[in-house]
Amino acid sequence: MFFLKRGLVLTPVSKLTQQPIRFTGFIRDVYKTIGYEAPFREEEREVILAKLNKLDESELNKYIAKKHSKHIVTHREKNGEFTCVEQLLDVERVETKILERICRGLLKLKDEKSKAGQEKSSLRSMKLYYSKQVTPKVTKISLTPETRILGLRVSLKKASYALIESNQLISWGNIPVFDEVSSQKNYTHQGLFEESRGLASSLPAADFCVQEDMLAILQQDPYIRLKVNLVKLRSYISCELSSSTHFGLQGMFSIKPGLIDKMFELKLGNERISMMDRLPKIIEQPLFEENPFYIDISDENMEVYKEERSAAEPMAGALLQALAFRRIIEIMNQEVS
């Protein structure tokens, strides 16, 4: 029986093949002794060998751990170039698993287990972040090709909306609210009730409606009265939409502005950049990759957008809210195995 030196203990080769193998003394062509073949295609082997034989230590460091780079270069200087990737087992402190990790590094392929672990961790973090940015908390929601999501942005002068279904913009536009926003008659119970009911009946039917949270109102804000009135109006509209039997809503949700800014890269310093200007870049479909925010806008809806140019900013915002909520549902529905 052939034995290999492993530390101070002589271990049969038959047992070594069942566990990671590491050699403390130099043995040439160990892979032949243990019958090992690295799991790489011929074209991959050529790339690996070229880098093993041509790159110096500093260049190898860009692909693999520094300690392995040093040992590889030292081995190459003493024993000549590698003729097959399996000869990495002759290098000090290299076993089969490390050999495969080195080769994947030289091919710029991440370790699959590490990659899977990073993806799981990223998904958990994303779910936790989203759960804190949406009210009420989004858990698992059935999302079908027929699910309709309505993005809604309300001001005292108009309500802007965008209705999406799958990857299609169904409709969008603006609905007038108050002509005289400073008149306190508008903000009595009767005035708000009638306006919210009329607005709800003018909006297209949807399964979900999503608004963006208002920013905090400061006591020294010169527009504090108008903003308080807007809070009242939004509350009445939300109540009307939630209780409206003909509207068919499964839920009313609100998203924090910070999530919208982060998801669509709308922040420049402390300022939010124009959503209208960013919209074409956000929704475009790249040639070689998938865009989770892609949406198809018909020529007819583009005409509506052009006609409403002076009010296009809140329309673009309403569309981004709907797209953001669709993406949140997709992420929250993913399983972390």
Side-chain angles (χ1 to χ4, degrees):
M1 169 99 38
F2 186 86
F3 286 80
L4 294 176
K5 186 177 181 182
R6 186 179 178 85
L8 298 176
V9 181
L10 295 179
T11 308
V13 171
S14 60
K15 290 185 179 180
L16 287 176
T17 57
Q18 299 174 8
Q19 56 185 310
I21 299 171
R22 187 174 69 189
F23 298 92
T24 57
F26 176 69
I27 303 174
R28 185 178 295 277
D29 292 339
V30 170
Y31 74 95
K32 292 181 180 179
T33 304
I34 64 174
Y36 172 76
E37 182 177 354
F40 298 99
R41 300 190 304 272
E42 188 60 36
E43 59 270 24
E44 292 175 328
R45 289 168 174 270
E46 292 177 4
V47 173
I48 295 167
L49 280 175
K51 291 181 177 179
L52 284 175
N53 291 324
K54 302 302 179 186
L55 300 184
D56 60 26
E57 187 175 337
S58 62
E59 291 172 323
L60 283 170
N61 288 341
K62 298 175 184 178
Y63 299 93
I64 60 178
K66 291 182 179 180
K67 60 182 179 181
H68 297 316
S69 299
K70 183 177 182 179
H71 291 149
I72 287 170
V73 171
T74 301
H75 177 89
R76 193 174 67 197
E77 290 173 348
K78 289 182 179 179
N79 303 284
E81 293 189 348
F82 296 89
T83 58
C84 65
V85 297
E86 286 81 3
Q87 285 182 340
L88 276 170
L89 289 179
D90 298 346
V91 176
E92 184 180 354
R93 298 184 183 278
V94 174
E95 59 183 50
T96 52
K97 288 184 178 179
I98 292 177
L99 178 148
E100 292 170 16
R101 190 182 307 157
I102 289 172
C103 291
R104 282 194 292 270
L106 293 172
L107 292 170
K108 291 189 174 181
L109 300 176
K110 290 185 178 180
D111 182 86
E112 291 303 319
K113 289 185 179 179
S114 173
K115 184 179 179 182
Q118 289 174 2
E119 288 175 351
K120 289 178 185 178
S121 177
S122 176
L123 181 57
R124 288 193 191 97
S125 299
M126 200 178 299
K127 283 188 170 188
L128 180 61
Y129 174 70
Y130 286 167
S131 68
K132 296 178 180 179
Q133 303 297 314
V134 183
T135 307
K137 185 177 179 179
V138 176
T139 52
K140 275 195 173 183
I141 295 177
S142 176
L143 188 64
T144 70
E146 291 76 36
T147 299
R148 291 195 166 195
I149 302 172
L150 181 73
L152 180 63
R153 296 181 75 83
V154 178
S155 71
L156 296 177
K157 287 192 172 184
K158 61 181 174 291
S160 304
Y161 68 90
L163 179 69
I164 66 171
E165 180 181 296
S166 188
N167 291 326
Q168 182 76 40
L169 174 65
I170 305 301
S171 64
W172 57 354
N174 295 290
I175 301 172
V177 183
F178 296 128
D179 293 327
E180 297 293 333
V181 298
S182 58
S183 174
Q184 289 304 303
K185 292 180 180 179
N186 295 326
Y187 310 111
T188 62
H189 170 71
Q190 189 63 30
L192 290 169
F193 177 76
E194 291 178 356
E195 190 61 41
S196 61
R197 173 162 288 189
L199 178 60
S201 64
S202 301
L203 289 169
D207 298 298
F208 303 99
C209 180
V210 56
Q211 298 189 72
E212 182 180 29
D213 283 346
M214 290 181 60
L215 296 174
I217 302 174
L218 304 177
Q219 286 188 348
Q220 62 270 30
D221 193 324
Y223 303 103
I224 187 169
R225 177 173 290 185
L226 291 176
K227 290 184 177 180
V228 169
N229 288 334
L230 178 57
V231 171
K232 293 179 182 178
L233 175 61
R234 284 169 55 113
S235 298
Y236 271 78
I237 291 172
S238 296
C239 289
E240 183 61 35
L241 292 177
S242 298
S243 61
S244 177
T245 55
H246 73 276
F247 200 62
L249 279 171
Q250 294 182 25
M252 288 282 301
F253 293 87
S254 61
I255 300 177
K256 293 185 183 298
L259 175 57
I260 300 288
D261 292 337
K262 185 175 182 178
M263 194 174 277
F264 300 114
E265 300 178 0
L266 296 177
K267 275 287 189 178
L268 186 61
N270 293 324
E271 299 296 322
R272 172 178 277 188
I273 62 178
S274 168
M275 292 179 284
M276 180 177 65
D277 293 341
R278 282 281 295 145
L279 185 62
K281 184 68 175 176
I282 292 170
I283 66 174
E284 69 179 358
Q285 179 67 295
L287 290 176
F288 302 109
E289 57 187 87
E290 187 175 336
N291 177 10
F293 304 115
Y294 167 71
I295 194 79
D296 180 30
I297 302 179
S298 66
D299 292 340
E300 181 181 355
N301 277 322
M302 281 308 301
E303 284 301 316
V304 173
Y305 190 62
K306 292 175 183 178
E307 290 172 5
E308 297 278 357
R309 194 66 181 174
S310 60
E313 180 71 11
M315 286 172 61
L319 177 56
L320 293 185
Q321 288 167 203
L323 294 174
F325 188 71
R326 183 185 71 184
R327 183 58 179 162
I328 290 168
I329 294 175
E330 292 171 345
I331 294 297
M332 298 306 285
N333 284 347
Q334 290 183 33
E335 295 288 345
V336 181
S337 56

